C-alpha cells in the first residue's frame, strides 16, 4: 500500500502476520525501486518504508535501528485479526465432499468428513 501524508512523505506499507527477514528484504526492495522511479521522473519526494505486523522477530527492530534503515515498524492490534470475522484461534473448517474429487483431496493428505 502507498500513502502520502500532509508533509508530502510517501510511505510504502508491507503488511505481514509475522514480520521476518523476508518482510525486511521486501520493503527494502520496494523502497529502492520507488526511489529509483521517482528520481527517473525528476521528483524529489521523501519515501519511507513501513512494516506492519502482529508480531516481529526480535532481530528486525534491532537491525532497522542499528543500520539506520529509516523503516517504520507498526505493531498491529490483535483485534484486527478478526477483521474477516474469523477468530485467529478458530477450528479449521471441514471440507465438503465434491463428487469425483475424493482422489484430489486424498493426494493432498486431507481427510473428508
Amino acid at each position: 500500500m502507498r500513502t502520502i501524508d500532509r508533509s508530502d512523505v510517501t510511505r510504502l506499507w508491507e503488511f505481514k502476520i509475522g514480520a521476518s527477514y523476508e518482510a525486511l528484504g521486501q520493503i527494502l526492495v520496494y523502497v529502492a525501486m520507488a526511489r529509483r522511479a521517482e528520481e527517473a521522473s525528476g521528483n524529489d519526494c521523501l519515501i519511507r518504508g513501513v512494516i506492519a505486523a502482529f508480531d516481529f522477530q526480535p532481530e528486525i527492530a534491532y537491525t532497522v535501528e542499528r543500520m539506520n534503515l529509516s523503516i517504520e515498524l507498526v505493531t498491529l492490534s490483535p483485534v484486527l485479526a478478526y477483521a474477516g470475522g474469523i477468530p485467529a484461534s478458530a477450528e479449521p473448517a471441514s471440507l465438503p465432499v465434491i463428487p469425483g474429487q475424493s482422489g484430489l483431496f486424498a493426494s493432498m493428505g486431507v481427510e473428508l468428513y
Side-chain angles (χ1 to χ4, degrees):
M1 179 170 72
R2 180 184 287 239
T3 60
I4 302 173
D5 69 12
R6 292 181 182 156
S7 302
D8 206 30
V9 175
T10 300
R11 285 184 173 77
L12 301 178
W13 292 73
E14 178 65 25
F15 291 90
K16 296 290 185 185
I17 300 296
S20 65
Y21 304 109
E22 182 179 296
L24 183 57
Q26 282 180 304
I27 200 65
L28 285 171
V29 170
Y30 295 159
V31 169
M33 300 302 285
R35 287 178 180 172
R36 181 171 72 178
E38 291 297 317
E39 288 171 4
S41 65
N43 292 335
D44 187 30
C45 66
L46 182 58
I47 300 175
R48 296 200 177 189
V50 181
I51 301 173
F54 295 105
D55 185 49
F56 291 86
Q57 286 183 338
E59 299 85 3
I60 300 299
Y62 174 78
T63 302
V64 166
E65 181 161 337
R66 184 70 174 175
M67 301 301 295
N68 197 24
L69 297 177
S70 297
I71 294 173
E72 298 172 29
L73 303 179
V74 176
T75 302
L76 298 174
S77 169
V79 173
L80 295 175
Y82 301 112
I86 302 173
S89 60
E91 292 292 320
S94 61
L95 297 172
V97 176
I98 303 172
Q101 298 298 314
S102 60
L104 173 65
F105 290 126
S107 69
M108 296 181 341
V110 176
E111 290 183 28
L112 300 177
Y113 299 95

